[in-house]
Amino acid sequence: MTFRQFAYRNVVRNRRIYAAFFLASVFSVMVFFLYSMLMFHPGIGERFITGITLIGMTAADVVLYVFMLFFLFYSMRAFMQARSGEFALLLQIGMERRQLGKLLLLEMLLLGAASTASGIVLGFTFSKYFFMIVRELLQLPALPLYVSWEPFLMTAGAFFSLFLLIGLLSAYIVSNRDISEFRKGIGGEADPFGYSPGRAAAGILLLLSSYGAALLAGRVNVLYLSVLLPPAATLGTYYFFSHSILYLLDLFRDQKSLYWKRARIVSLAETAAKLRDNANMFFIVAIVSTVSFLSVGTLASLATYTAQYRALNPLGLVYESFPGNPDEYEHVTGLMEELDDAGLEYTHVPLSVAREDSSFSGQPINILREGEVNRLAEALGAGPVQLSPGEAIFLPYSTEAAPRLRDADIRTELEESGVEVHVQGVVGGLLLPAYSLGTNSIVVSETDFVKVASAQPDSLLRIHAFDVPDWEETVGIGLSIEQSMMMSEIQQGEALPYYFKNPGLDYSIIRSTFHLLLLTGLLVAMVFLLAAGSFIYFKLYTMLDRDRRQAAVLKRLGMTEREFIKIVNRQLVPQFFLPWGIAMLHSTFAFISLQAIWKEFADISILKEMALVLVGFTIIQLLYFYLIRWRYLAHVKGPT
Amino acid sequence: MPIVSIEDVIKIYEGKVTHRALDRLSFDVEEGEFLAVMGPSGSGKTTLLNLISGIDMPTSGRVMIQGTDPAALRPDDLARFRRKELGFVFQDFNLLRMLTVEENIVLPLTLDRLPVAEMDARVKAITARLGLEDILHKRPDEISGGQEQRVAIARALVHRPSIVLADEPTGNLDSNAAREVLDLLGTINRENRTTFIMVTHDPIAASYCDRVLFIKDGAYYNEIHKDDRRRTFFQRILNILSLLGGNVDDLSSVRLP
């Protein structure tokens, strides 16, 4: 048997111990691979993965990588703790410590190679389904499976380096210890109730004050909060897991009437021991889950932007032609042909807009014609306006502006043409995209408009409004105009004498960006949850011998089956739900403050989306809890 | 009436190799008796203890403890029976590492939902008797092996069981600590009339008992009663062991933690 064979057999024959570790690694490799497949997809690269999305997905990859590093490192430590007896034996029969290090490195590389390969194979198997989901989200006609070497190479490289790093680290750790240290067990059991009272208090105080500050957000300086709060909450969380919890449990321990009751004495001490053992891991899981809850919640709320978007962009297509535009006829007929070819119904309403200074405000003001505005209103299903000569009505530039203009009662003279109008009230509803004409616009009667137009006939602006009922389908319309606009923007030449806006196209880009980011956030959060769960399972597994012996003792002391399951529940529940509960609490308060800050910018309520996200994660977590509890009970009660 | 009676008990372990651990074993234990069970490795001593405590069921035959057959009890009743009637002392102490000495001792009482004052009083009484007052708030890692075994004995006695089962209680102790523990068990046996059944390899330990039962390959082999002097009793135990075969000093193999 060669040394390499020995390492191989060690892993293969210990596969039950390695299983949780292996599965979590496989899952992360799979997610990483799916991302890479998406990032390198030829059909998606140029169109959607731009700017913010690329940053988001790269960040997700980096976060995954770093998290995996932590996860593997902790698992490796727990693993070494579980196997310290075995290491002591190997050293005792004369293995050099260098060789022991080499053994660990070999094992880790073997595991790494196996999990990377299985993860990539699984990822490739599921990539077709993954692409189908993405295609649905991004509303693409097709997103075919493709084969290219980049995602394979990237995933394999990333994870191989990861496992190499962990393997070297464990080899380093192992070669710096004595036999006696191994016989005691690495990181043996310290006093489960050991804590520092000062830090315990600091943890609780920091958390409470952060929550308090979050509640006051909106009333206090936002910038101030956003700089101070996250570090305070993070430090508070750390102290909370490493000291405050133990302090609270210890307080409970002093109440004999509560503590000396049935199986509580065991479950509490056990909980304390496990919490203390895994404080760092729980801290990381809590913080990382908070971040992922927050990002997923935020992204989900941005995805509800649709309704608002439609309200701000009531028209299918808008083409504005400035005075002296030679291409107007060609462009407009082109658009109509494209709409016909796409089989989309539409109503075309040309509008003329004059611009004059108002004597009342001294500002330029847009003047529209009653008849044309009414045709547009009819197409959009709004009520018509009726104006006599000398009367005028405001056309609101945004939904927020409408109520403010409702009670307006202004008499003004249009300076260039000398027409006097009495502006009263506002047209119901938004007819043109918000802010498309700048600020103030009024509608005047036919007679007045003829007067205005004849005053300066050359400076009339023409707006071609297309009402398309299936506005989300207009993605492919007017691409050539869009392109020439982009070209001129890039070359920074003269301003073009026209402007084209296709809300359907813009919307599809916004939507797919959000959805892609949301998908990214969700998958990363899933990996965190699963990895955290696997880690708990892994830790349980490494302690199985001890737990089994303990179960046997308790059985002989006369503990019933039900009491035993209660003990297992009581020690599993905090491990699963404490980091997660803290993360929930953190994100709830963070969202309360975010909601307050949000209100300043846009009127988006994120409550519903956030609740949905939190409920979804809760369900996944519950399922995972029952799965692991089932396995653990089977192992503890099962034959040795 | 005997407190424990074993009647024609056979225990067979099915597996890749069928193994007959106990073979038509019968004996009685009287109330207040201090019985040692001896035999070579693999003679079925630990199986016997597991049958008496109801951890395992006999393949045939009957185990009666104070007129109850543990095999006939439902699991929850069996657990309650164990927590009322039985106490256990193990070779490797099996104290729960994360509990303090006091908490370890009080554990069987908490399962029975006694009032806290009563629990406190009982812990105080037993620890005073075993000289554990000074280490009540230490954890098992911080005390010596002999102290650990005394804590385990306190845990086995605190709920006033009628029978204490001890599996190699001195196996992990040095000779001084072993003698202390054995003296202690003997005193408790005499003063409280608690019945002890002790499985052991160690002839010295066996010489502290009233009666020594020898089993070989799961079957009854011989038994002897103590006489006036422990020294001669010890000698007679050695004689039987040499007839029994196996290794006289067949101590359990050295183990790694």
Side-chain angles (χ1 to χ4, degrees):
Chain A
M1 186 169 74
T2 63
F3 196 70
R4 247 167 276 142
Q5 275 174 323
F6 178 57
Y8 168 74
R9 287 179 194 162
N10 235 346
V11 173
V12 172
R13 292 178 189 165
N14 272 335
R15 56 178 166 270
R16 266 174 45 176
I17 305 181
Y18 287 94
F21 185 60
F22 178 72
L23 283 181
S25 316
V26 168
F27 190 77
S28 326
V29 174
M30 192 177 107
V31 170
F32 194 92
F33 179 74
L34 285 176
Y35 276 147
S36 317
M37 283 290 276
L38 199 59
M39 272 169 85
F40 288 110
H41 199 291
I44 207 166
E46 316 91 54
R47 277 184 66 192
F48 294 101
I49 315 268
T50 48
I52 192 159
T53 327
L54 186 68
I55 294 169
M57 292 186 72
T58 316
D61 263 357
V62 171
V63 168
L64 260 184
Y65 189 86
V66 172
F67 184 78
M68 278 309 290
L69 192 68
F70 270 111
F71 170 73
L72 289 177
F73 179 70
Y74 272 98
S75 306
M76 185 269 291
R77 278 258 308 265
F79 205 31
M80 285 172 65
Q81 192 176 330
R83 293 172 63 195
S84 56
E86 180 192 334
F87 294 158
L89 181 69
L90 289 175
L91 290 176
Q92 224 156 20
I93 61 175
M95 186 180 263
E96 289 168 36
R97 274 183 291 186
R98 206 176 43 79
Q99 285 175 314
L100 188 56
K102 198 174 147 200
L103 174 73
L104 279 178
L105 179 62
L106 277 176
E107 281 185 16
M108 197 52 78
L109 288 184
L110 198 64
L111 261 179
S115 48
T116 310
S118 341
I120 289 178
V121 168
L122 267 180
F124 194 66
T125 317
F126 285 116
S127 52
K128 182 67 197 163
Y129 296 101
F130 181 66
F131 283 157
M132 277 162 73
I133 296 169
V134 173
R135 188 185 64 97
E136 204 56 35
L137 280 176
L138 305 188
Q139 299 192 318
L140 290 176
L143 197 60
L145 190 62
Y146 74 107
V147 182
S148 137
W149 51 271
E150 289 115 324
F152 290 91
L153 197 72
M154 186 165 149
T155 314
F159 280 86
F160 195 75
S161 66
L162 204 64
F163 281 102
L164 186 68
L165 201 65
I166 294 294
L168 287 174
L169 211 60
S170 53
Y172 174 76
I173 291 175
V174 92
S175 56
N176 278 308
R177 286 184 199 258
D178 277 341
I179 295 187
S180 59
E181 276 178 88
F182 281 123
R183 296 187 69 166
K184 266 185 282 169
I186 297 168
E189 296 183 45
D191 178 9
F193 290 99
Y195 58 88
S196 131
R199 287 181 189 172
I204 294 173
L205 274 179
L206 274 172
L207 282 187
L208 286 182
S209 50
S210 312
Y211 288 162
L215 284 181
L216 293 176
R219 263 179 265 170
V220 210
N221 190 341
V222 171
L223 196 71
Y224 198 58
L225 273 182
S226 61
V227 173
L228 271 184
L229 261 190
T234 309
L235 189 67
T237 313
Y238 179 70
Y239 282 153
F240 181 76
F241 278 112
S242 49
H243 297 278
S244 311
I245 291 189
L246 301 173
Y247 167 69
L248 293 175
L249 285 176
D250 206 26
L251 278 186
F252 189 80
R253 208 157 66 120
D254 286 340
Q255 305 296 314
K256 280 186 185 171
S257 55
L258 291 175
Y259 182 52
W260 281 13
K261 205 166 177 191
R262 321 210 56 188
R264 243 177 236 176
I265 203 165
V266 179
S267 49
L268 254 159
E270 190 76 358
T271 303
K274 295 229 156 119
L275 285 178
R276 193 190 149 78
D277 239 18
N278 302 332
N280 286 341
M281 184 69 192
F282 287 160
F283 161 68
I284 291 172
V285 170
I287 291 299
V288 162
S289 320
T290 307
V291 173
S292 51
F293 287 163
L294 281 178
S295 41
V296 170
T298 312
L299 291 171
S301 59
L302 287 176
T304 61
Y305 186 58
T306 322
Q308 255 107 2
Y309 188 83
R310 181 60 176 156
L312 293 176
N313 296 281
L315 285 171
L317 302 171
V318 182
Y319 181 86
E320 289 177 24
S321 169
F322 305 124
N325 173 17
D327 300 324
E328 177 180 357
Y329 178 75
E330 191 191 330
H331 280 161
V332 173
T333 47
L335 286 176
M336 296 210 267
E337 272 169 28
E338 283 181 49
L339 283 168
D340 286 334
D341 288 346
L344 293 168
E345 274 182 47
Y346 65 93
T347 317
H348 171 221
V349 183
L351 297 152
S352 309
V353 182
R355 183 170 281 226
E356 288 197 28
D357 288 338
S358 151
S359 66
F360 178 78
S361 61
Q363 300 288 325
I365 182 170
N366 298 305
I367 301 138
L368 286 91
R369 187 179 192 156
E370 180 191 353
E372 289 171 348
V373 169
N374 278 344
R375 278 181 57 206
L376 182 60
E378 191 193 350
L380 293 177
V385 290
Q386 296 213 320
L387 298 167
S388 321
E391 283 182 346
I393 186 166
F394 274 115
L395 187 67
Y397 57 86
S398 75
T399 34
E400 290 86 38
R404 253 184 288 135
L405 294 172
R406 186 163 296 141
D407 302 327
D409 187 350
I410 293 164
R411 288 173 190 281
T412 182
E413 186 186 343
L414 302 173
E415 288 188 344
E416 279 78 358
S417 57
V419 176
E420 284 184 24
V421 285
H422 178 202
V423 193
Q424 230 178 344
V426 65
V427 177
L430 208 58
L431 297 181
L432 290 169
Y435 301 104
S436 57
L437 285 176
T439 50
N440 283 333
S441 306
I442 56 171
V443 185
V444 297
S445 66
E446 293 289 320
T447 359
D448 285 340
F449 190 81
V450 174
K451 281 188 213 159
V452 170
S454 56
Q456 30 181 343
D458 297 337
S459 63
L460 275 188
L461 181 73
R462 301 276 301 167
I463 295 181
H464 294 271
F466 292 85
D467 174 49
V468 186
D470 297 326
W471 66 284
E472 287 178 55
E473 306 293 322
T474 62
V475 174
I477 310 288
L479 281 180
S480 60
I481 308 177
E482 195 102 359
Q483 246 157 24
S484 49
M485 278 169 61
M486 214 162 353
M487 287 304 285
S488 109
E489 213 169 282
I490 292 168
Q491 291 162 353
Q492 294 186 326
E494 259 176 77
L496 288 174
Y498 56 84
Y499 174 78
F500 174 68
K501 188 171 163 69
N502 182 349
L505 179 64
D506 295 350
Y507 175 69
S508 84
I509 291 174
I510 292 173
R511 186 186 136 101
S512 39
T513 305
F514 285 158
H515 277 99
L516 215 54
L517 285 175
L518 183 62
L519 191 74
T520 310
L522 271 175
L523 278 172
V524 172
M526 282 283 288
V527 171
F528 290 155
L529 276 181
L530 281 177
S534 311
F535 183 78
I536 293 167
Y537 181 67
F538 186 68
K539 268 293 229 195
L540 285 175
Y541 212 101
T542 57
M543 303 288 264
L544 204 58
D545 273 347
R546 168 189 165 283
D547 288 0
R548 226 180 233 165
R549 236 186 357 252
Q550 193 162 302
V553 174
L554 291 172
K555 193 174 177 193
R556 283 180 169 79
L557 289 183
M559 190 166 276
T560 59
E561 175 92 9
R562 211 157 349 117
E563 283 165 335
F564 181 69
I565 289 179
K566 218 185 233 170
I567 290 185
V568 170
N569 266 344
R570 286 220 187 109
Q571 52 162 301
L572 277 188
V573 167
Q575 294 189 58
F576 262 90
F577 294 99
L578 196 69
W580 169 89
I582 293 288
M584 284 278 181
L585 214 59
H586 280 13
S587 4
T588 310
F589 279 99
F591 266 98
I592 291 172
S593 62
L594 274 185
Q595 178 82 303
I597 297 168
W598 235 255
K599 274 228 169 83
E600 315 265 306
F601 300 113
D603 202 14
I604 303 177
S605 169
I606 52 185
L607 190 73
K608 203 181 97 200
E609 283 69 33
M610 198 53 209
L612 215 64
V613 167
L614 294 189
V615 166
F617 278 113
T618 311
I619 291 171
I620 297 175
Q621 185 77 348
L622 270 174
L623 283 178
Y624 209 47
F625 165 73
Y626 278 108
L627 179 77
I628 284 181
R629 193 185 78 138
W630 168 57
R631 292 315 308 149
Y632 177 70
L633 278 174
H635 282 312
V636 167
K637 289 194 296 189
T640 33
Chain B
M1 187 187 136
I3 189 163
V4 176
S5 76
I6 309 286
E7 301 164 17
D8 279 334
V9 165
I10 298 178
K11 176 70 193 178
I12 295 170
Y13 287 109
E14 306 279 352
K16 281 180 190 149
V17 183
T18 305
H19 170 58
R20 187 176 281 242
L22 290 179
D23 189 10
R24 295 180 61 78
L25 186 67
S26 298
F27 68 91
D28 288 344
V29 185
E30 297 302 325
E31 188 163 3
E33 199 180 357
F34 195 158
L35 174 76
V37 179
M38 292 197 82
S41 296
S43 58
K45 303 182 300 285
T46 303
T47 307
L48 180 63
L49 279 196
N50 282 345
L51 290 182
I52 294 174
S53 55
I55 301 289
D56 228 332
M57 301 298 164
T59 310
S60 86
R62 205 157 63 133
V63 176
M64 294 294 278
I65 297 158
Q66 292 197 311
T68 326
D69 180 1
L73 293 175
R74 283 180 301 136
D76 277 11
D77 293 330
L78 183 61
R80 253 168 244 129
F81 168 78
R82 259 186 233 130
R83 79 166 73 133
K84 285 221 183 324
E85 306 293 342
L86 303 181
F88 285 90
V89 181
F90 307 92
Q91 177 175 8
D92 38 11
F93 326 132
N94 278 334
L95 298 179
L96 302 192
R97 316 312 289 178
M98 67 284 174
L99 298 180
T100 63
V101 165
E102 184 184 28
E103 288 161 359
N104 261 296
I105 296 174
V106 86
L107 188 57
L109 299 180
T110 63
L111 292 179
D112 248 358
R113 278 180 276 183
L114 287 179
V116 172
E118 167 79 14
M119 289 197 270
D120 264 332
R122 289 226 205 158
V123 169
K124 214 162 260 153
I126 193 90
T127 50
R129 175 119 181 243
L130 301 188
L132 297 170
E133 297 103 320
D134 299 337
I135 56 168
L136 269 189
H137 297 287
K138 296 207 161 156
R139 292 176 346 99
D141 293 348
E142 301 162 348
I143 60 181
S144 73
Q147 284 173 321
E148 275 197 72
Q149 194 59 299
R150 274 190 287 155
V151 173
I153 291 169
R155 183 177 66 184
L157 294 173
V158 73
H159 54 298
R160 298 177 187 152
S162 43
I163 306 166
V164 174
L165 304 172
D167 191 353
E168 300 275 10
T170 57
N172 272 352
L173 299 177
D174 61 61
S175 56
N176 277 329
R179 203 184 55 238
E180 271 177 38
V181 163
L182 288 166
D183 277 333
L184 185 65
L185 292 181
T187 320
I188 291 164
N189 168 250
R190 273 192 308 280
E191 289 174 5
N192 297 16
R193 304 290 303 147
T194 309
T195 312
F196 277 86
I197 300 178
M198 175 168 79
V199 159
T200 184
H201 266 114
D202 179 6
I204 300 181
S207 68
Y208 278 80
C209 303
D210 300 329
R211 178 163 62 120
V212 184
L213 180 80
F214 296 90
I215 55 179
K216 184 180 184 182
D217 300 331
Y220 176 87
Y221 181 76
N222 196 353
E223 65 178 353
I224 52 174
H225 291 263
K226 79 165 174 192
D227 45 29
D228 308 334
R229 292 179 54 207
R230 228 187 50 225
R231 193 153 197 85
T232 54
F233 188 37
F234 175 67
Q235 199 55 56
R236 283 163 58 214
I237 293 171
L238 284 187
N239 291 342
I240 303 224
L241 282 179
S242 64
L243 286 173
L244 193 60
N247 298 319
V248 175
D249 51 355
D250 188 9
L251 290 168
S252 52
S253 49
V254 173
R255 291 194 280 180
L256 288 169

